[in-house]
Amino acid sequence: MNLTYLWVEVFAVLIPFFFSFHPKLKFNRKFKPFFLSSALVAIIFIAWDIWFTEMGIWGFNPEHLSGLYISNLPLEEVLFFFAIPFACVFTYHCLNLFFDFKWKSQTENIVVISLASILFLAGVLHYSKLYTSITFISLALLLIIVKYIVRVNWLPRFLTIYLVLLIPFFIVNGILTGSGLDTPVVWYNDAENLGIRIHTIPVEDVFYGLELILCNVFFYEYFNKRWSVKA
């Protein structure tokens, strides 16, 4: 039994958890909206994960796992959808406390429309590569829904903070995809993606991560606002 995957998750969440109780941060008061939003999003992404694992689009190296499974997913993979969003939403919360990220309306429109258009087009052009097509098209649609249908006012802040989150993302995902290890914790079938890697990380992971955290922040903001009004 090798707990590489589990240890990566523990270290990712350890510091954010302890600092959640800092009197200037008080993220512990946001646990309720976070865990509810995280649970809702996890249901969707775990179902996606089970399907892709069954299809052989990605898989997990048992050398780095505890050996406990839920369906065809290792326990660590299920915990991933709570641990990583916790660290990311905590960071989002903290940076929002100390910085005021604002974009001009025109800039926001250009960024969202350009990113959504490029992702949608790339997804359609590579429709036979399931990781690429499903990730890119679903993220493109999500961006349009969040911006132009739900009309949230925090999207520029989120996109700016996600650029900061890419720093720990490359560390954590780099380890999981094999950086510094003899074998990767998570392997990918390159027939189902573009085959473009950032060191060991498939480029699709950057956008998969963006979609995962955007979904978490969307529900977190919704529930946080709802309970704040009631309070």
Side-chain angles (χ1 to χ4, degrees), residues 34-71:
F34 166 75
F35 283 110
L36 180 54
S37 62
S38 183
L40 288 174
V41 176
I43 291 171
I44 300 169
F45 277 82
I46 288 171
W48 180 354
D49 209 341
I50 290 172
W51 175 39
F52 269 26
T53 302
E54 182 67 27
M55 294 279 289
I57 294 170
W58 57 48
F60 310 92
N61 191 333
E63 295 178 10
H64 301 290
L65 305 173
S66 64
L68 301 174
Y69 284 78
I70 297 175
S71 184

Side-chain angles (χ1 to χ4, degrees), residues 26-176:
K26 300 177 182 177
F27 187 63
N28 60 305
R29 297 184 181 181
K30 309 294 183 180
F31 281 0
K32 184 177 178 181
F34 166 75
F35 283 110
L36 180 54
S37 62
S38 183
L40 288 174
V41 176
I43 291 171
I44 300 169
F45 277 82
I46 288 171
W48 180 354
D49 209 341
I50 290 172
W51 175 39
F52 269 26
T53 302
E54 182 67 27
M55 294 279 289
I57 294 170
W58 57 48
F60 310 92
N61 191 333
E63 295 178 10
H64 301 290
L65 305 173
S66 64
L68 301 174
Y69 284 78
I70 297 175
S71 184
N72 60 356
L73 300 182
L75 175 62
E76 294 88 342
E77 179 71 357
V78 174
L79 294 176
F80 175 92
F81 296 106
F82 297 93
I84 301 307
F86 181 86
C88 291
V89 175
F90 167 81
T91 304
Y92 172 83
H93 167 80
C94 293
L95 291 178
N96 272 323
L97 287 177
F98 299 108
F99 300 97
D100 185 16
F101 299 107
K102 289 183 178 180
W103 295 3
K104 292 181 179 179
S105 178
Q106 184 179 11
T107 301
E108 182 182 358
N109 286 326
I110 291 172
V111 169
V112 172
I113 292 173
S114 298
L115 180 57
S117 298
I118 292 169
L119 287 170
F120 188 84
L121 180 60
V124 170
L125 290 176
H126 297 280
Y127 69 92
S128 62
K129 300 178 183 293
L130 285 182
Y131 187 22
T132 305
S133 60
I134 291 177
T135 302
F136 285 10
I137 292 173
S138 61
L139 176 56
L141 295 175
L142 178 62
L143 286 167
I144 296 301
I145 291 169
V146 168
K147 168 61 180 171
Y148 295 106
I149 297 178
V150 182
R151 296 178 180 273
V152 302
N153 61 6
W154 45 259
L155 191 55
R157 286 181 290 152
F158 169 78
L159 292 173
T160 304
I161 292 170
Y162 187 71
L163 294 177
V164 178
L165 290 172
L166 285 176
I167 299 171
F169 164 84
F170 285 125
I171 296 172
V172 170
N173 220 37
I175 296 171
L176 294 180

